[in-house]
Amino acid sequence: MAAISSHLINKASAALERAGVDSPRLSARMIMGFVLGCSQEKVLTYPDLALENNQVSMFESLVRRRAEGEPLAYITGSKEFYGYDFLVDKSVLIPRPETELIVELAVEHFKSSPDQYFADIGTGCGAIAVSLALEIRGSLGLACDISLPSLLLARRNALIQGVQDRVFFFRSDLGMGIRPGTLDFVVSNPPYLSIQDMARTSLEVSAYEPFHALVSPDNGLQHIKRLQSVAWLMLKDQGMIFLEMGNDQSHEVEKTFSKWKKVRIHKDLAGYDRALSAVKS
Ligand code: GLN
């Protein structure tokens, strides 16, 4: 007898709930959609989809991975960000909804002035750079990362979204090598957790996501401090920076940017201080 999707989903949801996974039913449904190659909506609308034996074993083994704590995005290999789908793998941080804030701020500022030249420092899967290229008509972006596997993945994302001619990927430590005085704006979601923050973070993050994309020395602030000087050098006069940071870092980060103009701290949807914008002048 063929296995029926809703029965498998019920069983998997119960197992995921026992394992303490967030949103167990949603996870089970998304894994089902991935295994059947269809949307979650279809899984929801048609409870009687039939699975072959090999699909059943694939479903069960992916559910086991989720029960052990592996993030769903690594299991399905994709994550939505700013309304676009991005490939992700273990070489990159999974794009977070709160990171949409720095894209939103940059888009708000530059949407009506096309032909902007920007850099995304520490691009990971490329979500920020690719979204900006899609949202700001005619913009050109440089996207760098210190990790080669992440750059290869980011380039695939640019190709999938059709912006490969407007986003250029290169390997660099925090944008070293970009010509001084050339950029209209810089965006970055750098590593900003301290070692202590990392010890408190969930196992899903600490055991699966890349340490070097999360943790920064100097109480989580070293990369932000270095970015301040690198960005100052690379930007044109009146150029802007949009930077993500930890919710308890706004005071220190504002101090770091004391020579900049129009320094603003922006809150994420959860009401936490999450981003800084500032103008070089
Ligand atoms: N907001 C992320 C987290 O807490 C950290 C992202 C980062 O360090 N850039 O998991």
Side-chain angles (χ1 to χ4, degrees), residues 93 96 98 189-193 201 205 213-214 244 274:
L93 198 72
R96 312 281 203 259
E98 59 267 30
N189 173 21
Y192 55 69
L193 300 184
T201 197
V205 174
L214 288 161
E244 184 168 320
R274 183 61 60 200

Side-chain angles (χ1 to χ4, degrees), residues 93-94 96 98-99 188-194 197-198 201-202 205-206 209-216 220 244-246 274:
L93 198 72
I94 299 165
R96 312 281 203 259
E98 59 267 30
T99 303
S188 181
N189 173 21
Y192 55 69
L193 300 184
S194 66
D197 292 333
M198 190 63 170
T201 197
S202 70
V205 174
S206 61
E209 298 201 83
F211 184 86
H212 67 263
L214 288 161
V215 175
S216 181
E244 184 168 320
M245 61 179 182
R274 183 61 60 200

